[in-house]
């Protein structure tokens, strides 16, 4: 036990526990006594009228509970009254404050008048050190050649003495990279410290001095006041904004990392709707990263950073070639377009469209002269580079069509009606061709290895309903109606249960597992199937969004290889009701198949319940082998029951 930890525990025992319980035997203390003590701690106010923080109350209760647990374990005390009394305080703070990069830069300008303050805050922010780690630094901890700071110890002032100990945790011993500018600043600062020995502490500051400087700088800069420790949170925010993943930033303490991410996510928006979710923060780069891997631009490698193995992405040969080509391109943004003359705008639109066609290997000989004229018109903007610009994604269609001299024919009402009729007819045919009919005609029993408590409970419910209704269709409708208000927490396990009854090893994804982008997975040694699920509280009818996410799931699974699969195997979207606009969904599924070669199958919950009920009651199900190659909206052909 570290000396400072011992002092903290001793202080709590002496000032918070003994004054209340010292005249009572532990065996005589009851839950009501604990509750009275809890109320006293909750009602406490200091000289400024401030109560104990919820996290501190939690610490007080933990220390008291530990004493009783020890007595239960070694001295035959019957039970722990703290447990019966219930919780006190909270394990984590309500809100985590941090500075954005812009806020920090405003702050640091205001403390430049004191070089020691300036340099200390620079290291805390850009390197993410704890205060104790900063104050323990010596010149021999700084490796200017490799631009790293070696963290091996921590400084504290205890009982009037300077105490240097190991860092907070074993994994806190690490090497921290320094930005180039910070490396130069620190080298210059150390050069100004006369007579500094390699083993001397660099910063002879106190925590109270740093707190005072934080208040002074924040006030002058007009930014919110945060704690010293919040600079570590600000460092995490900086790394995320630079594109680092949460896992590469964190350490093995995954729970703490999740808590920090939750607080960070809530702080990322100032609206009153709760900010961003953790998943939203993590998803900002997840799909693009998978696309980079799928396109063979990057590959995953493991390397040692800060003393632990971390997975990074490394450019492949093809990736390097792509980067080099991008360097030869001029990326045109909307601001570039809007600052150009009208003639230049027209030329940028045409060149952007033509070069996209050229990269797709289209023959541009018919427009070569026009390309030369347009290139000359915008030569000052492109500066001899190839244009990188997608006009149809940036501008209104009518603006692009006008520049490209594309004229859309106007039609009268009668012609429009005929055209819509033809389109509807085509969509109806497409829908029919993309609807997969599955017959319930195979002898099937629920596999023993797939039986769970949920499977047993659902089976019993189906049998009980059949005693009353004697109709599969009625049973299906009743169960569908029972789940109309389901949230994710109820609906996802239902989908898992139904697929297990049908005969496949389905597992819903665990909450907080960053690597599982899909909502559930049918696990198979060779042909695993990712499942995108939409509960009725998310959307009543399966939408275009669900289809796009099902495609993302397939790409990510092929990229990460979390489970074995192949390109021919389907990816699923499961929802409450079938798609509202079946033609539109079927058309998108068909386009995805034609473009990417991936099959997407769509199930409504009623169809899955129908199949599961037939298996439970009559031992009749579907051909499992057909599940792997399904495409389109699945229609279950009910047997005549």
């Amino acid at each position: 036990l570290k000396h400072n930890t011992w002092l903290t525990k001793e202080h709590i025992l002496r000032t918070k526990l003994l004054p209340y319980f010292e005249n009572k035997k532990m065996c005589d203390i009851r839950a009501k006594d604990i509750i009275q003590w809890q109320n006293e701690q909750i009602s406490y106010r200091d000289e400024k009228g401030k109560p104990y923080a919820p996290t501190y109350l939690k610490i007080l209760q933990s220390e008291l509970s530990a004493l009783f647990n020890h007595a239960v374990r070694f001295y035959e005390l019957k039970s722990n009254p703290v447990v019966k009394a219930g919780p006190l305080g909270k394990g984590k703070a309500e809100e985590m404050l941090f500075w954005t990069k812009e806020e920090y830069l405003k702050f640091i300008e205001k403390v430049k008048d004191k070089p020691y303050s300036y340099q200390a805050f620079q290291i805390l922010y850009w390197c993410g050190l704890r205060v104790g780690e900063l104050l323990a630094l010596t010149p021999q901890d700084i490796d200017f050649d490799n631009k790293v700071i070696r963290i091996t110890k921590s400084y504290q002032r205890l009982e009037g003495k300077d105490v240097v100990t190991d860092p907070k945790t074993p994994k806190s011993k690490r090497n921290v990279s320094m930005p180039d500018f910070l490396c130069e600043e620190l080298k210059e600062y150390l050069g100004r410290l006369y007579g500094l020995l390699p083993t001397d502490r660099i910063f002879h500051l106190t925590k109270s001095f740093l707190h005072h400087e934080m208040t002074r700088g924040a006030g002058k800069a007009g930014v919110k006041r945060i704690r010293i420790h919040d600079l570590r949170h600000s460092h995490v925010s900086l790394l995320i904004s630079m594109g680092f993943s949460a896992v590469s930033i964190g350490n093995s303490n995954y729970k703490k990392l999740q808590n920090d991410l939750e607080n960070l996510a809530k702080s990322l928006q100032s609206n009153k709707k709760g900010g961003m979710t953790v998943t939203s923060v993590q998803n900002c780069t997840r799909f693009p990263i998978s696309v980079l891997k799928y396109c063979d631009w990057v590959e995953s490698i493991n390397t040692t950073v800060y003393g632990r193995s971390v997975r990074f992405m490394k450019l492949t040969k093809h990736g390097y070639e792509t980067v080099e080509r991008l360097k030869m391109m001029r990326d045109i943004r909307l601001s570039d377009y809007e600052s150009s003359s009208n003639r230049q705008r027209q030329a940028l639109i045409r060149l952007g469209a033509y070069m996209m066609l050229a990269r797709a290997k289209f023959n541009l000989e018919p427009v070569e002269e026009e390309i030369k004229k347009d290139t000359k018109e915008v030569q000052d903007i492109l500066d001899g580079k190839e244009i990188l610009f997608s006009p149809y994604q940036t501008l209104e269609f009518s603006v692009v069509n006008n520049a490209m001299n594309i004229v859309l024919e106007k039609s009268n009402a009668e012609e429009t009606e005929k055209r819509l009729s033809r389109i509807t007819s085509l969509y109806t045919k497409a829908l029919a061709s993309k609807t997969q009919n599955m017959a319930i005609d195979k002898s099937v029993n629920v596999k023993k290895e797939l039986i769970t408590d949920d499977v047993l409970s659902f089976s019993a419910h189906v049998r009980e309903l059949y005693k009353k209704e004697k109709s599969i269709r009625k049973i299906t409708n009743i169960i569908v109606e029972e789940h109309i208000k389901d949230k994710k927490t109820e609906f996802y396990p239902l989908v898992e249960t139904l697929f297990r009854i049908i005969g496949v090893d389905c597992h819903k994804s665990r909450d907080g597992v960053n690597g599982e982008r899909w909502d559930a997975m049918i696990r198979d040694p060779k042909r695993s199937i990712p499942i995108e699920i939409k509960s009725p509280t998310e959307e009543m009818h399966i939408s275009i969004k669900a289809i796009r996410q099902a495609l993302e799931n397939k790409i990510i699974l092929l990229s990460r290889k979390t489970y074995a699969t192949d390109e021919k195997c389907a990816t699923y979207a499961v929802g409450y009701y079938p798609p509202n606009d079946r033609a539109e969904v079927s058309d998108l599924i068909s386009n995805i198949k034609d473009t990417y070669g991936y099959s997407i199958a769509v199930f409504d919950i009623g169809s899955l319940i129908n199949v599961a009920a037939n298996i439970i009651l009559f031992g009749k199900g579907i051909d499992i082998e057909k599940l792997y190659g399904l495409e389109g909206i699945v229609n279950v052909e009910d047997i005549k029951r």
Side-chain angles (χ1 to χ4, degrees):
L1 198 65
K2 288 186 178 180
H3 186 52
N4 63 308
T5 305
W6 174 268
L7 292 177
T8 299
K9 291 179 178 290
E10 185 183 54
H11 174 76
I12 290 174
L13 180 65
R14 179 168 42 82
T15 63
K16 304 297 185 294
L17 304 183
L18 285 179
Y20 199 89
F21 297 109
E22 63 181 340
N23 294 322
K24 290 188 176 183
K25 294 181 179 180
M26 293 185 74
C27 60
D28 294 333
I29 297 175
R30 301 289 181 261
K32 63 182 181 64
D33 301 314
I34 303 298
I35 293 172
Q36 290 175 354
W37 172 81
Q38 289 176 336
N39 290 335
E40 188 170 305
Q41 306 312 310
I42 292 171
S43 61
Y44 170 82
R45 296 294 183 273
D46 64 15
E47 62 274 8
K48 295 182 180 179
K50 290 185 178 182
Y52 289 138
T55 48
Y56 185 65
L57 291 174
K58 180 76 172 180
I59 292 171
L60 296 182
Q61 172 125 330
S62 296
E63 293 298 329
L64 179 60
S65 185
L67 293 173
F68 281 99
N69 283 337
H70 185 79
V72 169
R73 186 176 181 183
F74 296 105
Y75 295 96
E76 299 181 0
L77 186 68
K78 290 184 178 180
S79 63
N80 183 347
V82 180
V83 175
K84 293 181 180 179
L88 175 68
K90 295 184 179 180
K92 59 181 181 179
E94 290 289 338
E95 182 181 10
M96 178 187 71
L97 295 175
F98 69 96
W99 277 337
T100 63
K101 182 180 176 182
E102 291 72 22
E103 287 175 318
Y104 173 75
L105 292 177
K106 289 179 181 178
F107 161 81
I108 200 66
E109 281 295 319
K110 302 303 179 182
V111 295
K112 269 189 173 181
D113 56 332
K114 296 181 180 179
Y116 40 90
S117 296
Y118 173 83
Q119 204 58 58
F121 285 120
Q122 284 284 81
I123 294 174
L124 288 172
Y125 178 77
W126 293 105
C127 298
L129 270 62
R130 298 180 177 91
V131 176
E133 295 168 347
L134 170 80
L135 298 180
L137 287 180
T138 64
Q140 67 183 10
D141 296 324
I142 315 298
D143 182 348
F144 289 110
D145 292 334
N146 294 307
K147 300 175 183 177
V148 298
I149 300 176
R150 297 189 183 93
I151 307 300
T152 60
K153 50 194 174 296
S154 181
Y155 166 87
Q156 288 176 308
R157 185 76 175 170
L158 299 174
E159 298 181 312
K161 298 178 181 178
D162 293 338
V163 179
V164 176
T165 64
D166 287 338
K168 185 175 181 180
T169 67
K171 287 187 176 292
S172 294
K173 289 186 176 182
R174 63 200 188 277
N175 291 339
V176 180
S177 298
M178 289 186 290
D180 290 348
F181 70 86
L182 181 59
C183 190
E184 293 302 318
E185 285 181 356
L186 186 54
K187 185 184 295 185
E188 183 182 340
Y189 177 75
L190 293 183
R192 296 200 302 267
L193 299 180
Y194 178 75
L196 185 68
L197 298 176
T199 56
D200 288 346
R201 285 176 46 227
I202 297 171
F203 297 101
H204 289 272
L205 308 173
T206 63
K207 291 183 180 180
S208 60
F209 172 80
L210 290 174
H211 282 293
H212 174 269
E213 287 295 276
M214 283 281 281
T215 302
R216 182 176 73 92
K220 285 186 175 181
V223 298
K224 60 181 176 286
R225 170 68 163 85
I226 63 174
R227 301 173 303 162
I228 299 291
H229 186 74
D230 289 328
L231 285 172
R232 275 174 61 80
H233 303 153
S234 303
H235 178 68
V236 172
S237 172
L238 172 71
L239 293 179
I240 290 175
S241 70
M242 292 168 65
F244 286 82
S245 71
V247 175
S248 66
I249 295 169
N251 54 26
S252 59
N253 191 345
Y254 185 75
K255 186 175 180 181
K256 182 179 184 302
L257 172 62
Q258 283 297 105
N259 290 341
D260 287 348
L261 272 177
E262 288 173 11
N263 289 325
L264 175 62
K266 290 175 183 176
S267 304
L268 283 176
Q269 290 183 355
S270 58
N271 61 40
K272 297 181 180 179
K273 296 181 180 180
M276 297 175 69
T277 64
V278 175
T279 303
S280 298
V281 175
Q282 294 170 338
N283 278 346
C284 290
T285 57
R286 187 179 297 164
F287 183 65
I289 286 173
S290 295
V291 172
L292 289 174
K293 291 182 180 178
Y294 182 77
C295 293
D296 192 33
W297 288 352
V298 299
E299 60 184 347
S300 295
I301 62 167
N302 286 328
T303 188
T304 301
V305 178
Y306 303 159
R308 68 181 188 279
S309 180
V310 179
R311 176 164 288 190
F312 283 88
M313 290 184 299
K314 177 184 177 183
L315 283 172
T316 61
K317 180 182 177 182
H318 179 52
Y320 274 112
E321 292 171 352
T322 304
V323 169
E324 291 305 311
R325 186 175 180 187
L326 287 171
K327 288 179 181 178
M328 302 304 296
M329 294 181 178
R330 173 69 164 86
D331 184 13
I332 300 298
R333 299 303 175 100
L334 182 60
S335 57
D336 300 317
Y337 172 84
E338 291 179 339
S339 62
S340 304
S341 67
N342 188 55
R343 290 178 62 179
Q344 287 175 325
R345 291 182 182 184
Q346 303 275 309
L348 288 172
I349 290 172
R350 287 190 291 268
L351 282 176
Y354 289 150
M355 290 305 103
M356 290 175 70
L357 293 172
R359 287 190 285 272
K361 308 302 182 185
F362 279 80
N363 180 15
L364 297 184
E365 287 182 6
V367 291
E368 276 186 358
E369 290 302 317
E370 191 172 11
I371 290 174
K372 289 179 181 178
K373 283 175 58 179
D374 288 336
T375 302
K376 187 176 181 180
E377 181 68 40
V378 294
Q379 59 185 355
D380 292 340
I381 299 174
L382 299 183
D383 195 24
K385 294 184 177 181
E386 180 183 336
I387 189 171
L388 184 63
F389 181 45
S390 178
Y392 277 111
Q393 288 184 312
T394 310
L395 308 170
E396 292 285 343
F397 280 20
S398 59
V399 174
V400 181
N401 289 341
N402 181 58
M404 300 292 294
N405 200 25
I406 297 174
V407 180
L408 299 178
E409 293 182 6
K410 294 183 179 180
S411 57
N412 56 37
E414 185 178 347
E415 289 173 341
T416 302
E417 186 66 32
K418 289 180 180 179
R419 185 176 297 162
L420 287 174
S421 178
R422 287 197 299 272
I423 292 172
T424 302
S425 176
L426 289 172
Y427 272 138
T428 303
K429 291 178 181 178
L431 173 61
S433 66
K434 290 302 176 184
T435 299
Q436 290 282 318
N437 295 318
M438 297 198 70
I440 303 177
D441 57 4
K442 297 289 181 182
S443 295
V444 177
N445 289 311
V446 181
K447 297 178 181 179
K448 290 183 179 180
E449 63 271 22
L450 299 178
I451 294 177
T452 62
D453 289 343
D454 287 343
V455 169
L456 294 174
S457 176
F458 183 86
S459 300
H461 185 46
V462 167
R463 293 190 183 98
E464 191 64 31
L465 287 174
Y466 190 72
K467 290 178 183 178
K468 301 176 183 178
E469 302 298 339
K470 302 296 182 184
S471 165
I472 289 286
R473 195 155 294 175
K474 287 183 179 180
I475 290 174
T476 299
N477 290 337
I478 290 172
I479 298 176
V480 168
E481 188 66 26
E482 287 174 349
H483 291 275
I484 195 168
K485 294 183 179 179
D486 275 7
K487 297 179 180 178
K488 295 179 181 180
T489 49
E490 298 91 21
F491 199 72
Y492 289 14
L494 173 64
V495 173
E496 176 191 276
T497 297
L498 295 174
F499 273 116
R500 282 178 166 268
I501 294 171
I502 289 170
V504 289
D505 187 18
C506 184
H507 297 259
K508 73 177 184 66
S509 297
R510 294 169 293 160
D511 294 335
V513 179
N514 193 38
E516 297 183 354
R517 163 63 182 82
W518 36 83
D519 299 317
M521 177 68 65
I522 294 175
R523 299 179 185 176
D524 185 88
K526 295 182 179 179
R527 299 176 295 176
S528 297
I529 301 174
I531 307 175
E532 181 67 29
I533 306 175
K534 294 296 181 185
S535 68
T537 52
E538 294 175 272
E539 56 184 41
M540 293 299 291
H541 295 268
I542 299 170
S543 67
I544 293 292
K545 180 182 178 182
I547 306 304
R548 290 199 302 264
Q549 290 173 328
L551 172 62
E552 289 182 18
N553 292 343
K554 182 68 176 180
I555 293 173
I556 290 170
L557 179 59
L558 287 168
S559 169
R560 293 183 177 175
K561 300 179 176 61
T562 314
Y563 301 98
T565 191
D566 59 42
E567 295 195 2
K568 294 181 181 179
C569 191
T571 177
Y572 289 174
V574 177
Y576 190 72
Y577 286 141
N580 208 7
D581 189 341
R582 291 195 174 203
E584 186 179 359
V585 169
S586 295
D587 194 42
L588 178 58
I589 291 173
S590 179
N591 289 339
I592 289 171
K593 177 70 172 180
D594 293 341
T595 305
Y596 302 105
Y598 301 141
S599 299
I600 299 178
V602 178
F603 292 87
D604 65 281
I605 200 67
S607 295
L608 295 178
I609 292 171
N610 189 330
V611 178
N614 273 290
I615 293 172
I616 292 165
L617 296 172
F618 310 115
K620 289 290 184 179
I622 57 179
D623 184 354
I624 297 298
E625 186 61 29
K626 291 182 179 179
L627 284 176
Y628 296 98
L630 285 174
E631 180 188 346
I633 300 166
V634 178
N635 179 45
V636 176
E637 295 179 347
D638 193 9
I639 59 176
K640 306 301 181 183
R641 295 280 182 182

